[in-house]
Amino acid sequence: MENKKLGTIYALLAYVLWGILPLYWKLLEHIEAKEILSYRIVASFFFMIALLIVQKSWSTFLHTCRLLWREKKRAIALIVASLLISVNWFIYIWAVNHNHMVEASLGYYMNPLLNVLLGVVVLKERLYKWQAVSFILAAVGVLLMTIEYGKIPWVALSLACSFALYSLVKKVISIDATIGLTVETMLVTPFALIFIIHSFGQLHVASFSFATMLLLVGAGPATALPLLYFAKGAQHISLTLLGFLQYISPTLSLLLGVFLFHEPFTNAHVYAFSCIWTALLLFSLSSTRERRRGKSLNM
């Protein structure tokens, strides 16, 4: 019982931190998203290295690297994962700092549904009736926004697709969260460093204040800590509870976008989000029901 309570606290911390992370990126909105991304990658990598040393997991990290060197398919999968998460980070930072926070939150509401869809298509997992209905409702929501604005909500779809594909790759290769994030950031750090050095050459960084540099360095802990809290929480609570808690993050981002940063929330948004929220409710309830039915059959 104590472990479950602790796990719930860790999971709540993770989702709350992810939900308010836009406030952090807003402090850096005077910098281009690609520059923020580069510093985020490098800072995350060095923070993870320091964390591995503190946790005395350095030997495990080196052992994992040696295994990946021999297992080419897993190594390629991790390269793909590192590219997907980098794309996801870039789009999210750009969206937040270009007043698309509402649409970004829509993307993360859609993410659980896309996860299941990929599970059905790629992993041949079973799709239940009400889950299928939830997909149709979500598609209607996206279609409503597309018709209203005359363009596809590419921010929402890009965020949802990139993170769903990232989750699929991580599920297939099955690697420890801490080790995985360290390897992923390590793989893209050389490219980020090249970009940062190029920025120095163009005197972009010379204009950064000390506070800005601190925020860029702090992007490492800001990225890693929610992920680590999530990993700790996931160990001690049920998938059902974790599934319900995951909606805290996009809800907080949505509220920040509408009430703090005054992004428009039109009738089209109301209709689209209503479809998505209804879809998520059906999806969550049907998933819970099927999980309970599976447990009763196994007893």
Side-chain angles (χ1 to χ4, degrees):
M1 191 67 181
E2 190 66 30
N3 282 342
K4 183 178 179 180
K5 184 179 179 181
L6 192 62
T8 304
I9 292 171
Y10 274 123
L12 277 170
L13 272 173
Y15 286 120
V16 168
L17 287 174
W18 274 325
I20 63 174
L21 194 57
L23 295 174
Y24 195 94
W25 305 131
K26 279 289 187 183
L27 295 173
L28 292 165
E29 64 181 344
H30 57 288
I31 303 173
E32 290 186 25
K34 56 188 177 182
E35 288 186 299
I36 299 174
L37 175 65
S38 299
Y39 280 93
R40 183 182 189 182
I41 289 169
V42 174
S44 297
F45 172 61
F46 285 108
F47 178 80
M48 294 307 298
I49 290 294
L51 188 66
L52 288 175
I53 294 171
V54 170
Q55 292 182 341
K56 298 180 180 178
S57 302
W58 183 250
S59 58
T60 307
F61 170 69
L62 293 178
H63 177 67
T64 302
C65 290
R66 285 193 290 269
L67 286 177
L68 290 170
W69 183 257
R70 292 196 293 267
E71 300 173 14
K72 302 301 181 186
K73 287 184 178 179
R74 288 186 77 199
I76 291 171
L78 260 179
I79 292 171
V80 172
S82 66
L83 293 174
L84 285 169
I85 197 62
S86 297
V87 168
N88 182 271
W89 286 353
F90 173 77
I91 294 171
Y92 189 68
I93 292 168
W94 182 91
V96 168
N97 288 347
H98 285 79
N99 302 316
H100 290 282
M101 203 182 300
V102 170
E103 192 178 335
S105 68
L106 176 66
Y108 285 111
Y109 277 123
M110 294 164 55
N111 181 248
L113 302 174
L114 278 181
N115 282 339
V116 174
L117 182 61
L118 285 174
V120 171
V121 174
V122 180
L123 303 178
K124 309 302 179 186
E125 294 176 352
R126 184 178 176 184
L127 181 66
Y128 298 101
K129 180 180 69 175
W130 289 109
Q131 290 178 334
V133 172
S134 69
F135 285 122
I136 295 170
L137 272 172
V140 169
V142 174
L143 187 62
L144 284 171
M145 283 195 70
T146 303
I147 293 170
E148 179 70 20
Y149 291 107
K151 61 181 182 179
I152 296 171
W154 69 269
V155 169
L157 290 173
S158 299
L159 286 172
C161 289
S162 59
F163 201 76
L165 288 168
Y166 171 75
S167 302
L168 175 66
V169 173
K170 292 298 289 286
K171 182 177 177 65
V172 170
I173 58 177
S174 183
I175 191 169
D176 174 78
T178 306
I179 300 292
L181 183 60
T182 308
V183 175
E184 289 158 25
T185 51
M186 178 182 71
L187 290 169
V188 288
T189 286
F191 302 102
L193 282 172
I194 290 170
F195 182 83
I196 290 171
I197 292 168
H198 179 66
S199 296
F200 266 106
Q202 293 185 332
L203 299 177
H204 289 172
V205 180
S207 63
F208 290 174
S209 66
F210 180 69
T212 296
M213 290 303 299
L214 280 180
L215 286 169
L216 288 170
V217 172
T223 298
L225 286 176
L227 184 68
L228 297 175
Y229 288 147
F230 171 79
K232 284 180 177 290
Q235 291 173 357
H236 300 296
I237 62 176
S238 67
L239 285 174
T240 303
L241 179 56
L242 201 63
F244 279 108
L245 291 177
Q246 71 183 322
Y247 303 127
I248 292 173
S249 175
T251 300
L252 287 174
S253 296
L254 174 64
L255 293 173
L256 287 174
V258 174
F259 294 107
L260 185 61
F261 299 110
H262 308 294
E263 291 186 16
F265 195 76
T266 63
N267 286 336
H269 286 103
V270 173
Y271 302 145
F273 274 85
S274 295
C275 288
I276 298 291
W277 287 330
T278 305
L280 289 173
L281 181 62
L282 285 174
F283 168 76
S284 299
L285 292 175
S286 64
S287 298
T288 303
R289 180 184 174 188
E290 293 304 329
R291 204 170 285 124
R292 285 175 178 170
R293 181 184 293 177
K295 285 182 179 179
S296 64
L297 291 174
N298 291 329
M299 288 179 65

